Amino acid sequence: MTSTDDMVYIQHGDIKVLLQLYPEPAIQARDAVKHFVADATISTEMELFAAFLEHCVKNHPAIAPIILDAFAERFDIRPNAKDIHEAVNEHALDKGGVQRVLRAFYSLWDDISAQHHYRRRATDDISSALLSSDDSHLMAMFGGLPSGSVNPIDEAVWLFDVYRPILGDYVANISEFMHTESQDPRLAHAYPLGLDFFKWLTYPDSMPKASYLQSVSVKHAAVGFTQFLQIMVLYKTLGLAPGELVDRFKATTTDY
């Protein structure tokens, strides 16, 4: 029989989350709830649960892995079955909701003991009926330059916010390389403010004006940078090595 001492209630307006935990974690979780303030834009149970998970990661790390397990159980997230991206898609969240939920889920990426249960491992035995023919193959397609006044690093900003535990070191290293290269005397005239993407993503107030980001040389560099991030997120969340990911595709193209 379930005891009320094992239950933890989280409520935001009409949205409710009910956690059933062991007594000691339940005590800690109830204390975390006391200090939890939900963002006014939260509109679904999944978002509220994710926001509480992120709150615990930042302020109550001892129980964060337990809350992650409860989150995964509630939304049926299982390795090599349903991953977090599929679960998010099922709930038809808006862009802000998707960002909030994925950021919370991956906030424990560096905690192997917490995350290894949910790290998907793409296997060859999971295939689409559409690709059952020997004449059918996968092709990777890279997007081209954003049109109009779209900030060319908007997507990189989103990716870095959501997947920062996965991307952080890589962004720091590749940004250092690109920024150093942009200062080469042969290139410096095209990059007067350099290409310090890590600084721009970490400290948004340091972001150059749109006119600089929209310049052809910077825009091309930003698109390439973003595509590197997309590839890393893809192979990391699929549990593949870079070479294994490449082997899945028989061709690549772009819509440049």
Side-chain angles (χ1 to χ4, degrees), residues 91-110:
H91 284 75
L93 304 178
D94 61 22
K95 185 176 181 179
V98 171
Q99 186 171 2
R100 176 181 289 113
V101 171
L102 292 179
R103 184 180 62 228
F105 184 82
Y106 285 106
S107 62
L108 279 170
W109 179 266
D110 291 331

Side-chain angles (χ1 to χ4, degrees), residues 19 24 54 62 88 104 118 122 124-126 132 139 144 149 164 195 236 239 254:
L19 301 176
E24 183 59 32
E54 194 166 26
V88 165
Y118 312 111
D124 290 326
D125 59 344
I126 301 176
S132 58
M139 179 175 68
S149 60
R164 185 165 183 167
L195 291 173
K236 286 283 190 179
T254 179

Side-chain angles (χ1 to χ4, degrees), residues 19-201:
L19 301 176
Q20 182 178 341
L21 306 173
Y22 287 110
E24 183 59 32
I27 293 172
Q28 298 177 61
R30 280 193 288 272
D31 181 62
V33 170
K34 294 177 183 177
H35 302 93
F36 171 61
V37 179
D39 188 279
T41 61
I42 288 175
S43 59
T44 67
E45 179 193 359
M46 179 177 255
E47 291 175 74
L48 181 60
F49 208 142
F52 181 65
L53 168 58
E54 194 166 26
H55 167 75
C56 290
V57 171
K58 294 177 180 177
N59 303 290
H60 305 271
I63 61 166
I66 297 172
I67 303 303
L68 175 64
D69 287 342
F71 177 89
E73 181 178 0
R74 169 65 184 86
F75 298 104
D76 196 29
I77 298 166
R78 293 168 290 139
N80 294 332
K82 183 198 293 183
D83 83 344
I84 181 61
H85 299 90
E86 293 169 288
V88 165
N89 188 57
E90 287 180 357
H91 284 75
L93 304 178
D94 61 22
K95 185 176 181 179
V98 171
Q99 186 171 2
R100 176 181 289 113
V101 171
L102 292 179
R103 184 180 62 228
F105 184 82
Y106 285 106
S107 62
L108 279 170
W109 179 266
D110 291 331
D111 187 337
I112 301 299
S113 63
Q115 266 280 353
H116 80 278
H117 298 299
Y118 312 111
R119 293 195 180 185
R120 185 170 186 169
R121 173 66 187 174
T123 54
D124 290 326
D125 59 344
I126 301 176
S127 60
S128 168
L130 294 173
L131 300 175
S132 58
S133 169
D134 291 338
D135 296 326
S136 299
H137 303 287
L138 287 173
M139 179 175 68
M141 182 173 182
F142 293 94
L145 293 173
S147 60
S149 60
V150 176
N151 186 330
I153 65 170
D154 274 351
E155 187 166 355
V157 170
W158 193 92
L159 289 167
F160 190 66
D161 177 65
V162 170
Y163 300 104
R164 185 165 183 167
I166 296 175
L167 295 172
D169 290 344
Y170 180 74
V171 169
N173 290 329
I174 194 172
S175 179
E176 181 180 7
F177 170 77
M178 294 178 73
H179 187 60
T180 299
E181 291 298 304
S182 72
Q183 303 306 299
D184 185 296
R186 295 168 296 179
L187 302 173
H189 68 281
Y191 304 103
L193 300 180
L195 291 173
D196 197 345
F197 289 109
F198 182 73
K199 178 182 178 181
W200 300 345
L201 296 180

